[in-house]
Amino acid sequence: MRYLCLVYGTEDSLPVMQNPNPMSRAEVDALTQDSLAYNDVLRMSGHFIVAHALQSVRTATTVRVRGGQVLVTDGPFAETKEQLLGFVLIEAKNHDDAVEVASRIPLARLGSIEVHTIMDPVRIGQS
């Protein structure tokens, strides 16, 4: 089964635009190396599908369609303490396996990882 691991954290410590308290270059480099190394581990184990970090939420746009009107708002929809920083799409045997994989994502040390099962359209209505 496929699982989407949403990586959440606070941007205020990451090296993004206009951060008042960014991580040091050494910390950023170590986190980047840890993340890339873990992607390699996932590739070797057959779990890895794709992973991407996202640019700052300051670059996000929220799009809604209401009554046929397209409404565009700068920034993310929700005002939260943690922001969506990236994602990892994985293949896992089951939910427990996906949680185990998510627990080793390096950014879990700074934020949180939300694990979602990808809906399989072939299986919809078969249960």
Side-chain angles (χ1 to χ4, degrees):
M1 294 187 74
R2 289 184 173 193
Y3 295 87
L4 182 63
C5 302
L6 298 174
V7 179
Y8 287 93
T10 57
E11 284 192 344
D12 62 357
S13 64
L14 297 177
V16 295
M17 301 177 297
Q18 304 168 347
N19 268 356
N21 305 308
M23 297 171 78
S24 71
R25 174 56 36 202
E27 290 171 315
V28 171
D29 289 346
L31 184 60
T32 300
Q33 289 305 316
D34 288 350
S35 296
L36 293 174
Y38 189 54
N39 288 350
D40 288 339
V41 168
L42 294 177
R43 276 186 197 89
M44 296 298 291
S45 68
H47 287 97
F48 187 84
I49 297 173
V50 67
H52 286 289
L54 301 176
Q55 290 190 12
S56 170
V57 294
R58 293 174 187 90
T59 67
T61 301
T62 299
V63 178
R64 296 177 190 78
V65 178
R66 301 291 186 271
Q69 296 278 345
V70 176
L71 308 168
V72 178
T73 306
D74 289 339
F77 173 68
E79 293 285 331
T80 62
K81 290 183 180 182
E82 290 188 327
Q83 295 83 37
L84 179 61
L85 302 178
F87 67 91
V88 182
L89 182 61
I90 62 169
E91 183 74 34
K93 293 179 281 193
N94 53 43
H95 186 76
D96 291 340
D97 187 32
V99 169
E100 175 62 28
V101 167
S103 73
R104 295 189 312 263
I105 294 173
L107 276 165
R109 297 186 303 246
L110 301 175
S112 61
I113 312 298
E114 192 172 285
V115 179
H116 289 264
T117 306
I118 300 295
M119 193 178 292
D120 183 352
V122 174
R123 293 184 184 185
I124 295 175
Q126 290 183 359
S127 47

